[in-house]
Amino acid sequence: FSIHSRKVRVAGDWKIVSSSVTSVYTDTSGTQTITTISDGETYTTTLTTPGGTTVTTGVQTMQYTFEKNGTYKSTHNMGGMNMIDNGTWDFTSGVGSKKNKSQITIYSQSQISMGNSSTFTGNYVNIAYDLKELRNDKMVWYYKTTSTQTGGYSTAYEIEYVFEPL
């Protein structure tokens, strides 16, 4: 139980202190798995294909600023590649079996990455994360999805971000 509303608990400056991102792609040539684990300062990416495994490491930082008015800005630096993202955020309103405000949605409106700029319009939701935890001093986002297409193609994603205030 918290005396602060969910919106007030999200609002503010946050850094990702740990993350786990796994992508699994299957097609007629086999399965490719990409897993990136980060402690908020460094990352390790493991790429496993039918041809073998490659491991890379580097520096990674991710920060978000969430405003009470529903806007956000994020900065992401991974191995020297920088991305700045601006947009809006909100909670879902209890879609399907999900409780009201149990998910956070991210609507990217502009992005700068590696010198390229993109602008997005319309009602496009980049992603909706389950809020596994939402406290004044910790926030945990989780996302898991799979898709299967005809011809033996499939894709699966699993993501978890753990945030702490800056």
Side-chain angles (χ1 to χ4, degrees):
F1 178 76
S2 175
I3 60 171
H4 301 290
S5 72
R6 293 179 77 74
K7 184 169 258 191
V8 167
R9 282 181 272 162
V10 170
D13 297 320
W14 296 85
K15 63 181 176 181
I16 293 182
V17 295
S18 72
S19 64
S20 172
V21 179
T22 300
S23 305
V24 180
Y25 307 97
T26 302
D27 62 20
T28 55
S29 64
T31 299
Q32 172 180 298
T33 303
I34 305 169
T35 302
T36 302
I37 305 293
S38 173
D39 64 5
E41 296 177 8
T42 61
Y43 71 91
T44 300
T45 298
T46 305
L47 168 62
T48 304
T49 66
T53 300
T54 305
V55 177
T56 57
T57 60
V59 175
Q60 178 180 22
T61 58
M62 293 173 71
Q63 298 178 350
Y64 281 79
T65 297
F66 295 99
E67 302 293 342
K68 289 179 193 173
N69 68 3
T71 62
Y72 79 91
K73 178 180 180 177
S74 71
T75 57
H76 183 184
N77 178 328
M78 184 172 184
M81 295 184 295
N82 295 309
M83 183 175 80
I84 299 170
D85 191 44
N86 290 285
T88 60
W89 68 276
D90 206 344
F91 297 107
T92 59
S93 60
V95 178
S97 64
K98 301 289 183 184
K99 291 181 181 179
N100 189 34
K101 297 185 180 180
S102 67
Q103 292 181 309
I104 190 168
T105 57
I106 303 296
Y107 303 83
S108 181
Q109 294 175 330
S110 67
Q111 213 172 65
I112 300 170
S113 180
M114 298 176 56
N116 296 314
S117 179
S118 301
T119 302
F120 308 99
T121 59
N123 293 327
Y124 176 74
V125 176
N126 289 47
I127 198 163
Y129 294 96
D130 293 334
L131 285 166
K132 287 177 69 174
E133 226 177 298
L134 179 55
R135 301 186 310 210
N136 292 336
D137 62 350
K138 185 178 182 183
M139 180 167 51
V140 180
W141 294 1
Y142 181 76
Y143 174 82
K144 184 175 182 177
T145 186
T146 59
S147 66
T148 304
Q149 296 84 30
T150 57
Y153 299 93
S154 67
T155 306
Y157 298 100
E158 186 169 13
I159 301 169
E160 183 173 271
Y161 295 128
V162 178
F163 294 83
E164 289 181 357
L166 276 174

